[in-house]
Amino acid sequence: MPKDTFYITTAIDYTNSAPHIGHAYEKLLADVIARYQRSCGKEVYYLTGVDQHGQKVQQSAEREQIPAQEFADRNTAKFIEMWQLLGLQYDGWAATTHPQHKAVVQAILQKLYDAGQIYKATHTGYYSVRQEQFLTDKERNEEGEFGPEWGEVEEREEENYYFKLSDHIEWLKAFVHAHPHFVYPAFRAKELVNALERADAIDLCITRPKSRLEWGIEIPFDTDYVTFVWFDALINYISFAGYLKDEVAVDTAGLPDFEALWPADVHLIGKDIMVPAHAVYWPIMLHAIGFPDEAMPKLVVHGFWNDKRGEKLSKSEGNVIDPATRVERFGREGLRYYLMSAIATGRDADFNDERIEDAYSQDLAKNLGNLLNRSLNMPKRYRERVLTKDADYDDDLNREIRETFTTLPERVAEKMANYQVNLALEVIWSALTLCNQYVDKTAPWALAKDENEAVRLDSVLYHLAEAMVHAAFHIAPVMPETSQRMQDQLNYHFPEGFTVADLKWGLLPDGHQLGEGTPLFPRLT
Ligand code: ME8
């Protein structure tokens, strides 16, 4: 089966913590891109999930004296609950303790081992007992020492398995050079090029001895070791997409067809995990497994949310933001709108409650909610809610409304092609502003008083209501429920399978009866 599906994935979240606003933003951005692609008539597969293995999970579980699986499951449930709260719609769930994923990771390890891509070697180096990791010169402070944060540091010798990353660095350099769109945005692609120029040709240690880490996928050719968590986690993008479904059929229920999905159109990740994990290890792993250059995925790298003072969000600073508290105050769609409108994809932004409040009351309650209300109330007052479609009246104001809304799909598409949801929202909101000005300029309340203006009034009321139908279509990826409520109030529902190609001016038929208006975004108390 040829690739016919838009395949979007996100990073999988570490289950050593509860979901925070950064996780929520990334999963939501993918949800919005997925919904947008669907609204364009594309088949879409959205995969997200959780990264359940690794040292941090093992340590947290030990602290609580519970099994690592229990700890991972408990936090996994928190992520699932949060994604429900935010109204995310994903098609696949990647939890890395899933037996099929484990089996695929092991099959890949065996294949690479058989191909001579993995070898065993002894490493002698400085080891932080507290952090349970080997240290490199990068961890030394300005005085050239390992600071107190590392606790006791001792020299240790350890045998491990290494993946021959160095064999493929030249291939990666050539690939990145020949594929400037491998990473979006361009400034991040440049960062990758710079990093590759400086890269040492070293191999990647892909195991941990069970004596210091048990919570991982056992390697198939030596039961004393588990797989390094990144090697395991990256494979989720293919194992949960149906890769090796027939060869390694442990538990394939619900898995899609790999050929229909791969290569991924978007791997959505944060800036901290681009180099080396996603832009160096991952393409090299795929290349070593035998994926050709045309089958490399595309990385879309987003920025970070900081606190309102621009400080990094961190548990120890106590400034981590819990999305649930904001959903409680601003509603699910209030938060969705803010998270999508207040950050430029690729850049960082400061999370600011005053600005959510502004966005809620200005953009949502006033520019959208109040506009819809006017568009419904005036026909109610003057026409018993019934619209006349082809009123024998036209002027420049009407033409401007039609022109604005009929060109909206392509103007939104231009922004969405670069995942710039904030700019797409700006384009949509400028159309709403135009509608508000249209009401002020045409002053339907004045037209209603003059019998000679009856036909013009019909045309104004139709233009407004029709514009609201179009607005309901365009806001749907970011605010699906608000779109639904607008359709309910307008008493017009997009039929099943309706796509942007069907979005023509004049959807509301002559004699259409509008519904009852209720505030979309009630005043905050
Ligand atoms: O990195 N703002 O997991 P993670 C925006 N398990 N995005 C943020 C953020 C913030 N303040 N903080 C984190 C991992 N993120 C690995 C990924 S993928 C095979 C394995 C983003 O829970 C971060 O950049 O630390 C990453 O993309 C995602 O949240 C999960 O981070």
Side-chain angles (χ1 to χ4, degrees), residues 10-14 20 22-23 25-27 51 230 233-234 236-237 268-273 278 302-306 313:
T10 68
I12 48 174
D13 300 312
Y14 278 132
H20 57 59
H23 297 136
Y25 163 65
E26 180 178 282
K27 274 68 208 171
D51 191 354
W230 270 106
L234 287 163
N236 94 84
Y237 300 131
L268 185 64
I269 56 165
K271 62 180 182 178
D272 59 326
I273 57 172
H278 281 84
H302 65 76
F304 261 40
W305 284 93
N306 296 319
L313 301 175

PDB file of all heavy atoms in Angstrom, residues 10-14 20 22-23 25-27 51 230 233-234 236-237 268-273 278 302-306 313, ligand 1:
ATOM      1  N   THR A  10       4.537  13.251  18.002  1.00  0.00           N
ATOM      2  CA  THR A  10       5.197  14.189  18.922  1.00  0.00           C
ATOM      3  C   THR A  10       6.271  13.418  19.671  1.00  0.00           C
ATOM      4  O   THR A  10       6.313  12.189  19.603  1.00  0.00           O
ATOM      5  CB  THR A  10       4.220  14.722  19.977  1.00  0.00           C
ATOM      6  OG1 THR A  10       3.867  13.624  20.835  1.00  0.00           O
ATOM      7  CG2 THR A  10       2.981  15.315  19.346  1.00  0.00           C
ATOM      8  N   ALA A  11       7.079  14.145  20.420  1.00  0.00           N
ATOM      9  CA  ALA A  11       7.962  13.474  21.374  1.00  0.00           C
ATOM     10  C   ALA A  11       7.070  12.695  22.330  1.00  0.00           C
ATOM     11  O   ALA A  11       5.914  13.059  22.545  1.00  0.00           O
ATOM     12  CB  ALA A  11       8.777  14.500  22.142  1.00  0.00           C
ATOM     13  N   ILE A  12       7.614  11.623  22.898  1.00  0.00           N
ATOM     14  CA  ILE A  12       6.839  10.919  23.924  1.00  0.00           C
ATOM     15  C   ILE A  12       7.350  11.413  25.285  1.00  0.00           C
ATOM     16  O   ILE A  12       8.543  11.548  25.504  1.00  0.00           O
ATOM     17  CB  ILE A  12       6.918   9.383  23.751  1.00  0.00           C
ATOM     18  CG1 ILE A  12       8.356   8.899  23.560  1.00  0.00           C
ATOM     19  CG2 ILE A  12       6.057   8.958  22.587  1.00  0.00           C
ATOM     20  CD1 ILE A  12       8.475   7.374  23.523  1.00  0.00           C
ATOM     21  N   ASP A  13       6.417  11.699  26.163  1.00  0.00           N
ATOM     22  CA  ASP A  13       6.748  12.388  27.415  1.00  0.00           C
ATOM     23  C   ASP A  13       7.282  11.423  28.470  1.00  0.00           C
ATOM     24  O   ASP A  13       6.753  10.322  28.640  1.00  0.00           O
ATOM     25  CB  ASP A  13       5.499  13.086  27.957  1.00  0.00           C
ATOM     26  CG  ASP A  13       4.961  14.099  26.964  1.00  0.00           C
ATOM     27  OD1 ASP A  13       5.752  14.904  26.447  1.00  0.00           O
ATOM     28  OD2 ASP A  13       3.743  14.063  26.688  1.00  0.00           O
ATOM     29  N   TYR A  14       8.292  11.908  29.186  1.00  0.00           N
ATOM     30  CA  TYR A  14       8.837  11.096  30.280  1.00  0.00           C
ATOM     31  C   TYR A  14       7.786  10.902  31.360  1.00  0.00           C
ATOM     32  O   TYR A  14       7.165  11.862  31.816  1.00  0.00           O
ATOM     33  CB  TYR A  14      10.042  11.798  30.913  1.00  0.00           C
ATOM     34  CG  TYR A  14      11.324  11.596  30.155  1.00  0.00           C
ATOM     35  CD1 TYR A  14      12.143  12.677  29.856  1.00  0.00           C
ATOM     36  CD2 TYR A  14      11.736  10.324  29.769  1.00  0.00           C
ATOM     37  CE1 TYR A  14      13.341  12.501  29.169  1.00  0.00           C
ATOM     38  CE2 TYR A  14      12.931  10.143  29.085  1.00  0.00           C
ATOM     39  CZ  TYR A  14      13.724  11.235  28.794  1.00  0.00           C
ATOM     40  OH  TYR A  14      14.881  11.056  28.114  1.00  0.00           O
ATOM     41  N   HIS A  20       3.008  18.901  32.103  1.00  0.00           N
ATOM     42  CA  HIS A  20       3.033  20.348  32.359  1.00  0.00           C
ATOM     43  C   HIS A  20       2.689  21.095  31.077  1.00  0.00           C
ATOM     44  O   HIS A  20       2.409  20.479  30.045  1.00  0.00           O
ATOM     45  CB  HIS A  20       4.376  20.775  32.950  1.00  0.00           C
ATOM     46  CG  HIS A  20       5.576  20.437  32.107  1.00  0.00           C
ATOM     47  ND1 HIS A  20       5.743  20.896  30.830  1.00  0.00           N
ATOM     48  CD2 HIS A  20       6.663  19.673  32.381  1.00  0.00           C
ATOM     49  CE1 HIS A  20       6.890  20.448  30.348  1.00  0.00           C
ATOM     50  NE2 HIS A  20       7.461  19.688  31.256  1.00  0.00           N
ATOM     51  N   GLY A  22       4.384  22.667  28.904  1.00  0.00           N
ATOM     52  CA  GLY A  22       5.222  22.405  27.725  1.00  0.00           C
ATOM     53  C   GLY A  22       4.755  21.160  26.992  1.00  0.00           C
ATOM     54  O   GLY A  22       4.615  21.152  25.763  1.00  0.00           O
ATOM     55  N   HIS A  23       4.485  20.101  27.763  1.00  0.00           N
ATOM     56  CA  HIS A  23       3.953  18.880  27.151  1.00  0.00           C
ATOM     57  C   HIS A  23       2.624  19.185  26.458  1.00  0.00           C
ATOM     58  O   HIS A  23       2.377  18.748  25.333  1.00  0.00           O
ATOM     59  CB  HIS A  23       3.680  17.817  28.222  1.00  0.00           C
ATOM     60  CG  HIS A  23       4.897  17.347  28.961  1.00  0.00           C
ATOM     61  ND1 HIS A  23       4.912  17.186  30.321  1.00  0.00           N
ATOM     62  CD2 HIS A  23       6.136  17.008  28.540  1.00  0.00           C
ATOM     63  CE1 HIS A  23       6.097  16.748  30.706  1.00  0.00           C
ATOM     64  NE2 HIS A  23       6.869  16.631  29.636  1.00  0.00           N
ATOM     65  N   TYR A  25       1.397  21.952  25.297  1.00  0.00           N
ATOM     66  CA  TYR A  25       1.552  22.770  24.100  1.00  0.00           C
ATOM     67  C   TYR A  25       1.914  21.907  22.891  1.00  0.00           C
ATOM     68  O   TYR A  25       1.327  22.026  21.814  1.00  0.00           O
ATOM     69  CB  TYR A  25       2.634  23.827  24.335  1.00  0.00           C
ATOM     70  CG  TYR A  25       3.168  24.447  23.070  1.00  0.00           C
ATOM     71  CD1 TYR A  25       2.339  25.218  22.260  1.00  0.00           C
ATOM     72  CD2 TYR A  25       4.485  24.237  22.662  1.00  0.00           C
ATOM     73  CE1 TYR A  25       2.815  25.772  21.077  1.00  0.00           C
ATOM     74  CE2 TYR A  25       4.971  24.792  21.484  1.00  0.00           C
ATOM     75  CZ  TYR A  25       4.128  25.546  20.697  1.00  0.00           C
ATOM     76  OH  TYR A  25       4.596  26.086  19.535  1.00  0.00           O
ATOM     77  N   GLU A  26       2.888  21.046  23.082  1.00  0.00           N
ATOM     78  CA  GLU A  26       3.366  20.226  21.959  1.00  0.00           C
ATOM     79  C   GLU A  26       2.271  19.286  21.445  1.00  0.00           C
ATOM     80  O   GLU A  26       2.049  19.169  20.240  1.00  0.00           O
ATOM     81  CB  GLU A  26       4.579  19.414  22.418  1.00  0.00           C
ATOM     82  CG  GLU A  26       5.165  18.532  21.354  1.00  0.00           C
ATOM     83  CD  GLU A  26       6.387  17.805  21.899  1.00  0.00           C
ATOM     84  OE1 GLU A  26       7.469  18.430  21.985  1.00  0.00           O
ATOM     85  OE2 GLU A  26       6.260  16.619  22.245  1.00  0.00           O
ATOM     86  N   LYS A  27       1.582  18.634  22.386  1.00  0.00           N
ATOM     87  CA  LYS A  27       0.542  17.686  21.976  1.00  0.00           C
ATOM     88  C   LYS A  27      -0.618  18.415  21.309  1.00  0.00           C
ATOM     89  O   LYS A  27      -1.245  17.916  20.390  1.00  0.00           O
ATOM     90  CB  LYS A  27       0.049  16.888  23.187  1.00  0.00           C
ATOM     91  CG  LYS A  27       0.892  15.666  23.489  1.00  0.00           C
ATOM     92  CD  LYS A  27       2.260  16.010  23.971  1.00  0.00           C
ATOM     93  CE  LYS A  27       3.315  14.996  23.668  1.00  0.00           C
ATOM     94  NZ  LYS A  27       4.670  15.476  23.974  1.00  0.00           N
ATOM     95  N   ASP A  51       7.092   7.897  27.362  1.00  0.00           N
ATOM     96  CA  ASP A  51       8.420   7.288  27.424  1.00  0.00           C
ATOM     97  C   ASP A  51       8.545   6.739  28.847  1.00  0.00           C
ATOM     98  O   ASP A  51       8.684   7.496  29.804  1.00  0.00           O
ATOM     99  CB  ASP A  51       9.418   8.435  27.173  1.00  0.00           C
ATOM    100  CG  ASP A  51      10.826   7.958  26.947  1.00  0.00           C
ATOM    101  OD1 ASP A  51      11.074   6.753  27.084  1.00  0.00           O
ATOM    102  OD2 ASP A  51      11.678   8.820  26.640  1.00  0.00           O
ATOM    103  N   TRP A 230      17.056   6.340  25.215  1.00  0.00           N
ATOM    104  CA  TRP A 230      16.816   7.074  23.960  1.00  0.00           C
ATOM    105  C   TRP A 230      16.715   6.152  22.760  1.00  0.00           C
ATOM    106  O   TRP A 230      15.929   6.391  21.838  1.00  0.00           O
ATOM    107  CB  TRP A 230      17.916   8.118  23.725  1.00  0.00           C
ATOM    108  CG  TRP A 230      17.570   9.430  24.339  1.00  0.00           C
ATOM    109  CD1 TRP A 230      18.095   9.982  25.471  1.00  0.00           C
ATOM    110  CD2 TRP A 230      16.579  10.362  23.860  1.00  0.00           C
ATOM    111  NE1 TRP A 230      17.494  11.191  25.726  1.00  0.00           N
ATOM    112  CE2 TRP A 230      16.573  11.447  24.759  1.00  0.00           C
ATOM    113  CE3 TRP A 230      15.701  10.377  22.778  1.00  0.00           C
ATOM    114  CZ2 TRP A 230      15.728  12.546  24.604  1.00  0.00           C
ATOM    115  CZ3 TRP A 230      14.853  11.461  22.612  1.00  0.00           C
ATOM    116  CH2 TRP A 230      14.875  12.528  23.518  1.00  0.00           C
ATOM    117  N   ALA A 233      13.289   4.770  23.008  1.00  0.00           N
ATOM    118  CA  ALA A 233      12.208   5.748  22.820  1.00  0.00           C
ATOM    119  C   ALA A 233      12.065   6.183  21.360  1.00  0.00           C
ATOM    120  O   ALA A 233      10.944   6.290  20.843  1.00  0.00           O
ATOM    121  CB  ALA A 233      12.452   6.964  23.701  1.00  0.00           C
ATOM    122  N   LEU A 234      13.171   6.421  20.684  1.00  0.00           N
ATOM    123  CA  LEU A 234      13.091   6.920  19.301  1.00  0.00           C
ATOM    124  C   LEU A 234      12.373   5.920  18.387  1.00  0.00           C
ATOM    125  O   LEU A 234      11.644   6.306  17.471  1.00  0.00           O
ATOM    126  CB  LEU A 234      14.499   7.215  18.767  1.00  0.00           C
ATOM    127  CG  LEU A 234      15.143   8.470  19.360  1.00  0.00           C
ATOM    128  CD1 LEU A 234      16.652   8.473  19.128  1.00  0.00           C
ATOM    129  CD2 LEU A 234      14.519   9.735  18.768  1.00  0.00           C
ATOM    130  N   ASN A 236       9.865   4.296  18.892  1.00  0.00           N
ATOM    131  CA  ASN A 236       8.394   4.338  18.988  1.00  0.00           C
ATOM    132  C   ASN A 236       7.753   4.848  17.698  1.00  0.00           C
ATOM    133  O   ASN A 236       6.659   4.436  17.336  1.00  0.00           O
ATOM    134  CB  ASN A 236       7.953   5.204  20.175  1.00  0.00           C
ATOM    135  CG  ASN A 236       7.657   6.648  19.803  1.00  0.00           C
ATOM    136  OD1 ASN A 236       6.560   6.989  19.354  1.00  0.00           O
ATOM    137  ND2 ASN A 236       8.640   7.524  19.952  1.00  0.00           N
ATOM    138  N   TYR A 237       8.448   5.776  17.017  1.00  0.00           N
ATOM    139  CA  TYR A 237       7.860   6.394  15.813  1.00  0.00           C
ATOM    140  C   TYR A 237       7.601   5.379  14.709  1.00  0.00           C
ATOM    141  O   TYR A 237       6.762   5.616  13.848  1.00  0.00           O
ATOM    142  CB  TYR A 237       8.794   7.480  15.271  1.00  0.00           C
ATOM    143  CG  TYR A 237       9.085   8.599  16.238  1.00  0.00           C
ATOM    144  CD1 TYR A 237      10.397   9.021  16.486  1.00  0.00           C
ATOM    145  CD2 TYR A 237       8.055   9.261  16.893  1.00  0.00           C
ATOM    146  CE1 TYR A 237      10.670  10.064  17.359  1.00  0.00           C
ATOM    147  CE2 TYR A 237       8.315  10.298  17.774  1.00  0.00           C
ATOM    148  CZ  TYR A 237       9.624  10.695  18.005  1.00  0.00           C
ATOM    149  OH  TYR A 237       9.885  11.717  18.867  1.00  0.00           O
ATOM    150  N   LEU A 268       7.147  16.263  15.666  1.00  0.00           N
ATOM    151  CA  LEU A 268       7.111  17.521  16.412  1.00  0.00           C
ATOM    152  C   LEU A 268       7.846  17.345  17.739  1.00  0.00           C
ATOM    153  O   LEU A 268       7.453  16.513  18.561  1.00  0.00           O
ATOM    154  CB  LEU A 268       5.649  17.926  16.664  1.00  0.00           C
ATOM    155  CG  LEU A 268       5.438  19.262  17.331  1.00  0.00           C
ATOM    156  CD1 LEU A 268       5.924  20.412  16.461  1.00  0.00           C
ATOM    157  CD2 LEU A 268       3.958  19.468  17.662  1.00  0.00           C
ATOM    158  N   ILE A 269       8.893  18.139  17.936  1.00  0.00           N
ATOM    159  CA  ILE A 269       9.733  18.001  19.141  1.00  0.00           C
ATOM    160  C   ILE A 269      10.161  19.373  19.640  1.00  0.00           C
ATOM    161  O   ILE A 269      10.144  20.352  18.889  1.00  0.00           O
ATOM    162  CB  ILE A 269      11.022  17.190  18.834  1.00  0.00           C
ATOM    163  CG1 ILE A 269      11.807  17.832  17.684  1.00  0.00           C
ATOM    164  CG2 ILE A 269      10.680  15.731  18.530  1.00  0.00           C
ATOM    165  CD1 ILE A 269      13.230  17.350  17.547  1.00  0.00           C
ATOM    166  N   GLY A 270      10.592  19.432  20.905  1.00  0.00           N
ATOM    167  CA  GLY A 270      11.115  20.680  21.449  1.00  0.00           C
ATOM    168  C   GLY A 270      12.585  20.855  21.096  1.00  0.00           C
ATOM    169  O   GLY A 270      13.273  19.894  20.736  1.00  0.00           O
ATOM    170  N   LYS A 271      13.042  22.084  21.234  1.00  0.00           N
ATOM    171  CA  LYS A 271      14.412  22.438  20.824  1.00  0.00           C
ATOM    172  C   LYS A 271      15.478  21.672  21.611  1.00  0.00           C
ATOM    173  O   LYS A 271      16.581  21.462  21.120  1.00  0.00           O
ATOM    174  CB  LYS A 271      14.622  23.947  20.984  1.00  0.00           C
ATOM    175  CG  LYS A 271      14.494  24.433  22.428  1.00  0.00           C
ATOM    176  CD  LYS A 271      14.703  25.939  22.550  1.00  0.00           C
ATOM    177  CE  LYS A 271      14.622  26.363  24.013  1.00  0.00           C
ATOM    178  NZ  LYS A 271      14.869  27.806  24.205  1.00  0.00           N
ATOM    179  N   ASP A 272      15.149  21.255  22.843  1.00  0.00           N
ATOM    180  CA  ASP A 272      16.152  20.595  23.687  1.00  0.00           C
ATOM    181  C   ASP A 272      16.480  19.180  23.233  1.00  0.00           C
ATOM    182  O   ASP A 272      17.499  18.627  23.640  1.00  0.00           O
ATOM    183  CB  ASP A 272      15.671  20.556  25.155  1.00  0.00           C
ATOM    184  CG  ASP A 272      14.340  19.813  25.320  1.00  0.00           C
ATOM    185  OD1 ASP A 272      13.502  19.892  24.405  1.00  0.00           O
ATOM    186  OD2 ASP A 272      14.154  19.165  26.359  1.00  0.00           O
ATOM    187  N   ILE A 273      15.616  18.588  22.402  1.00  0.00           N
ATOM    188  CA  ILE A 273      15.866  17.195  22.024  1.00  0.00           C
ATOM    189  C   ILE A 273      16.123  17.035  20.525  1.00  0.00           C
ATOM    190  O   ILE A 273      15.983  15.958  19.969  1.00  0.00           O
ATOM    191  CB  ILE A 273      14.735  16.255  22.510  1.00  0.00           C
ATOM    192  CG1 ILE A 273      13.368  16.696  21.981  1.00  0.00           C
ATOM    193  CG2 ILE A 273      14.701  16.193  24.035  1.00  0.00           C
ATOM    194  CD1 ILE A 273      12.263  15.679  22.277  1.00  0.00           C
ATOM    195  N   HIS A 278      17.232  13.578  18.074  1.00  0.00           N
ATOM    196  CA  HIS A 278      16.386  13.427  16.887  1.00  0.00           C
ATOM    197  C   HIS A 278      17.076  13.744  15.567  1.00  0.00           C
ATOM    198  O   HIS A 278      16.660  13.237  14.523  1.00  0.00           O
ATOM    199  CB  HIS A 278      15.140  14.313  17.017  1.00  0.00           C
ATOM    200  CG  HIS A 278      14.096  13.720  17.897  1.00  0.00           C
ATOM    201  ND1 HIS A 278      14.121  13.864  19.260  1.00  0.00           N
ATOM    202  CD2 HIS A 278      13.020  12.946  17.619  1.00  0.00           C
ATOM    203  CE1 HIS A 278      13.085  13.225  19.777  1.00  0.00           C
ATOM    204  NE2 HIS A 278      12.395  12.657  18.808  1.00  0.00           N
ATOM    205  N   HIS A 302       9.898  22.961  17.917  1.00  0.00           N
ATOM    206  CA  HIS A 302       9.241  24.119  18.549  1.00  0.00           C
ATOM    207  C   HIS A 302      10.080  24.663  19.695  1.00  0.00           C
ATOM    208  O   HIS A 302      11.029  24.019  20.158  1.00  0.00           O
ATOM    209  CB  HIS A 302       7.830  23.747  19.030  1.00  0.00           C
ATOM    210  CG  HIS A 302       7.805  22.722  20.125  1.00  0.00           C
ATOM    211  ND1 HIS A 302       8.124  23.028  21.431  1.00  0.00           N
ATOM    212  CD2 HIS A 302       7.501  21.399  20.119  1.00  0.00           C
ATOM    213  CE1 HIS A 302       8.011  21.939  22.174  1.00  0.00           C
ATOM    214  NE2 HIS A 302       7.645  20.932  21.392  1.00  0.00           N
ATOM    215  N   GLY A 303       9.714  25.872  20.145  1.00  0.00           N
ATOM    216  CA  GLY A 303      10.442  26.520  21.234  1.00  0.00           C
ATOM    217  C   GLY A 303       9.850  26.165  22.588  1.00  0.00           C
ATOM    218  O   GLY A 303       9.012  25.261  22.704  1.00  0.00           O
ATOM    219  N   PHE A 304      10.269  26.879  23.594  1.00  0.00           N
ATOM    220  CA  PHE A 304       9.866  26.589  24.968  1.00  0.00           C
ATOM    221  C   PHE A 304       8.958  27.665  25.537  1.00  0.00           C
ATOM    222  O   PHE A 304       9.100  28.836  25.232  1.00  0.00           O
ATOM    223  CB  PHE A 304      11.122  26.486  25.848  1.00  0.00           C
ATOM    224  CG  PHE A 304      11.547  25.059  26.080  1.00  0.00           C
ATOM    225  CD1 PHE A 304      11.480  24.127  25.064  1.00  0.00           C
ATOM    226  CD2 PHE A 304      12.009  24.655  27.330  1.00  0.00           C
ATOM    227  CE1 PHE A 304      11.849  22.810  25.279  1.00  0.00           C
ATOM    228  CE2 PHE A 304      12.389  23.346  27.558  1.00  0.00           C
ATOM    229  CZ  PHE A 304      12.313  22.419  26.537  1.00  0.00           C
ATOM    230  N   TRP A 305       8.052  27.241  26.394  1.00  0.00           N
ATOM    231  CA  TRP A 305       7.297  28.172  27.220  1.00  0.00           C
ATOM    232  C   TRP A 305       8.116  28.416  28.478  1.00  0.00           C
ATOM    233  O   TRP A 305       8.560  27.468  29.131  1.00  0.00           O
ATOM    234  CB  TRP A 305       5.941  27.587  27.599  1.00  0.00           C
ATOM    235  CG  TRP A 305       4.965  27.636  26.474  1.00  0.00           C
ATOM    236  CD1 TRP A 305       4.728  26.652  25.562  1.00  0.00           C
ATOM    237  CD2 TRP A 305       4.120  28.730  26.129  1.00  0.00           C
ATOM    238  NE1 TRP A 305       3.777  27.068  24.666  1.00  0.00           N
ATOM    239  CE2 TRP A 305       3.384  28.329  24.991  1.00  0.00           C
ATOM    240  CE3 TRP A 305       3.893  30.005  26.649  1.00  0.00           C
ATOM    241  CZ2 TRP A 305       2.446  29.167  24.368  1.00  0.00           C
ATOM    242  CZ3 TRP A 305       2.964  30.831  26.039  1.00  0.00           C
ATOM    243  CH2 TRP A 305       2.243  30.413  24.914  1.00  0.00           C
ATOM    244  N   ASN A 306       8.294  29.701  28.797  1.00  0.00           N
ATOM    245  CA  ASN A 306       8.951  30.076  30.050  1.00  0.00           C
ATOM    246  C   ASN A 306       7.914  30.710  30.959  1.00  0.00           C
ATOM    247  O   ASN A 306       6.754  30.865  30.562  1.00  0.00           O
ATOM    248  CB  ASN A 306      10.077  31.059  29.744  1.00  0.00           C
ATOM    249  CG  ASN A 306      11.149  30.401  28.882  1.00  0.00           C
ATOM    250  OD1 ASN A 306      11.501  29.238  29.101  1.00  0.00           O
ATOM    251  ND2 ASN A 306      11.636  31.117  27.893  1.00  0.00           N
ATOM    252  N   LEU A 313      10.886  27.103  33.053  1.00  0.00           N
ATOM    253  CA  LEU A 313       9.996  26.413  33.993  1.00  0.00           C
ATOM    254  C   LEU A 313      10.744  25.227  34.587  1.00  0.00           C
ATOM    255  O   LEU A 313      11.343  24.447  33.862  1.00  0.00           O
ATOM    256  CB  LEU A 313       8.756  25.898  33.256  1.00  0.00           C
ATOM    257  CG  LEU A 313       7.909  26.955  32.547  1.00  0.00           C
ATOM    258  CD1 LEU A 313       6.785  26.306  31.751  1.00  0.00           C
ATOM    259  CD2 LEU A 313       7.333  27.961  33.544  1.00  0.00           C
TER     260      LEU A 313
HETATM  261  O1  ME8 B   1      12.379  14.742  26.220  1.00  0.00           O
HETATM  262  N1  ME8 B   1       7.970  24.263  26.610  1.00  0.00           N
HETATM  263  O2  ME8 B   1      10.554  13.931  27.385  1.00  0.00           O
HETATM  264  P1  ME8 B   1      10.121  15.243  28.197  1.00  0.00           P
HETATM  265  C1  ME8 B   1       7.709  23.569  25.475  1.00  0.00           C
HETATM  266  N2  ME8 B   1      11.070  11.482  26.709  1.00  0.00           N
HETATM  267  N3  ME8 B   1       7.997  22.270  25.315  1.00  0.00           N
HETATM  268  C2  ME8 B   1       8.569  21.625  26.332  1.00  0.00           C
HETATM  269  C3  ME8 B   1       8.875  22.271  27.560  1.00  0.00           C
HETATM  270  C4  ME8 B   1       8.535  23.662  27.669  1.00  0.00           C
HETATM  271  N4  ME8 B   1       8.765  24.367  28.771  1.00  0.00           N
HETATM  272  N5  ME8 B   1       9.444  21.357  28.385  1.00  0.00           N
HETATM  273  C5  ME8 B   1       9.499  20.188  27.687  1.00  0.00           C
HETATM  274  C6  ME8 B   1      11.645  13.827  26.566  1.00  0.00           C
HETATM  275  N6  ME8 B   1       8.984  20.349  26.461  1.00  0.00           N
HETATM  276  C7  ME8 B   1      11.845  12.436  25.975  1.00  0.00           C
HETATM  277  C8  ME8 B   1      11.459  12.448  24.507  1.00  0.00           C
HETATM  278  S1  ME8 B   1      11.085  11.314  22.117  1.00  0.00           S
HETATM  279  C9  ME8 B   1      11.535   9.869  21.366  1.00  0.00           C
HETATM  280  C10 ME8 B   1      11.613  11.146  23.783  1.00  0.00           C
HETATM  281  C11 ME8 B   1       8.886  19.330  25.396  1.00  0.00           C
HETATM  282  O3  ME8 B   1       8.939  14.790  28.971  1.00  0.00           O
HETATM  283  C12 ME8 B   1      10.237  18.705  25.084  1.00  0.00           C
HETATM  284  O4  ME8 B   1      10.983  19.541  24.242  1.00  0.00           O
HETATM  285  O5  ME8 B   1      11.252  15.832  28.890  1.00  0.00           O
HETATM  286  C13 ME8 B   1       9.811  17.430  24.412  1.00  0.00           C
HETATM  287  O6  ME8 B   1       9.591  17.631  23.038  1.00  0.00           O
HETATM  288  C14 ME8 B   1       8.499  17.071  25.136  1.00  0.00           C
HETATM  289  O7  ME8 B   1       8.094  18.258  25.824  1.00  0.00           O
HETATM  290  C15 ME8 B   1       8.673  15.939  26.134  1.00  0.00           C
HETATM  291  O8  ME8 B   1       9.673  16.263  27.067  1.00  0.00           O
END
